[in-house]
Amino acid sequence: MNTLKPASQSYAEDFVPEPEVVTAARERGEQLGATPIGAGTGATLQVLAAANAARTVVEIGTGAGVSGLWLLSGMPDDGILTTIDIKAEHQRAAKQAYAAAGIAPARTRTITGNALDVLPRLADGAYDLVLVDGAKSQYPAYVEHALRIVRPGGVVAIDNMLWHDKVADPAARDDTTVLLRDLSKQLREREDLATALLPVGDGLLVCVKRA
């Protein structure tokens, strides 16, 4: 490997500065044990939302609002983020982050509950972008719902798909690594999706649902 590659990756990860309000949300998330996405992943989500002019976005895994802030920053001013988390304390922290960023309450819909109970109630093809960042053991089920509710031409983004650099290591065979490795390969092979695995943060798999 080129000895400059790690430095280039670090440079790219921090290329877009993280706003102070996002840093504050990150600190709250770390205190709550809700591991937030990195700045590189956040900037990528911002670009995906902006490129898709995403007005309807679903987020599976609210955390303390870090990813939501990045998504909202890329969405049009009338865009609405629906964010799902099983922990009420996460939702409270996220609402604090949204308020600190000056985001109107009408632009966010926070739902406390198990995502697998909530997602079946969301309409088919009604959303422009879905972010999957919840319990890893439930990723296949989350993605199945995400692909159902996203519109043709819409985006499904799945975080942690390199899983601490273990997915790329054939010798890593723990349950989570195998699940994520197999899921990424299954999505890659689907003809109804255009798919890329981006090496930002802990790995962001991006799928576009073909029209």
Side-chain angles (χ1 to χ4, degrees):
M1 177 183 293
N2 186 322
T3 57
L4 293 178
K5 195 169 187 66
S8 294
Q9 290 174 333
S10 178
Y11 179 81
E13 188 71 20
D14 297 324
F15 181 72
V16 178
E18 185 173 79
E20 290 183 8
V21 68
V22 177
T23 300
R26 172 182 303 285
E27 292 171 354
R28 285 192 293 271
E30 290 169 348
Q31 292 168 5
L32 290 171
T35 304
I37 61 169
T41 304
T44 303
L45 292 174
Q46 180 187 56
V47 168
L48 290 172
N52 206 23
R55 287 183 166 80
T56 52
V57 175
V58 172
E59 176 185 46
I60 304 168
T62 306
V66 171
S67 51
L69 289 173
W70 280 110
L71 286 165
L72 286 159
S73 68
M75 294 163 63
D77 290 342
D78 60 348
I80 297 175
L81 172 69
T82 298
T83 182
I84 308 164
D85 201 291
I86 199 166
K87 294 187 177 182
E89 61 181 343
H90 292 178
Q91 298 282 19
R92 287 193 292 270
K95 288 179 180 179
Q96 182 180 350
Y98 304 151
I103 295 166
R107 292 198 60 205
T108 60
R109 179 171 64 148
T110 55
I111 302 175
T112 304
N114 187 320
L116 293 182
D117 294 329
V118 176
L119 290 167
R121 304 200 298 267
L122 302 184
D124 294 3
Y127 297 89
D128 299 315
L129 190 157
V130 180
L131 171 63
V132 176
D133 189 17
K136 304 301 171 275
S137 62
Q138 302 299 325
Y139 263 32
Y142 292 156
V143 171
E144 182 179 350
H145 282 292
L147 292 172
R148 175 184 60 80
I149 66 176
V150 76
R151 64 168 174 79
V155 175
V156 175
I158 312 166
D159 194 29
N160 301 116
M161 291 299 282
L162 288 175
W163 195 238
H164 312 304
D165 295 319
K166 293 197 289 185
V167 167
D169 179 5
R173 304 293 301 173
D174 63 276
D175 290 347
T176 299
T177 300
V178 171
L179 182 150
L180 297 179
R181 185 186 292 133
D182 289 348
L183 177 61
S184 64
K185 291 178 180 178
Q186 291 164 13
L187 294 171
R188 181 188 65 190
E189 299 305 317
R190 288 184 54 156
E191 294 184 358
D192 61 336
L193 303 175
T195 303
L197 179 56
L198 309 181
V200 294
D202 196 28
L204 188 71
L205 187 74
V206 178
C207 304
V208 177
K209 187 176 181 179
R210 297 185 189 274

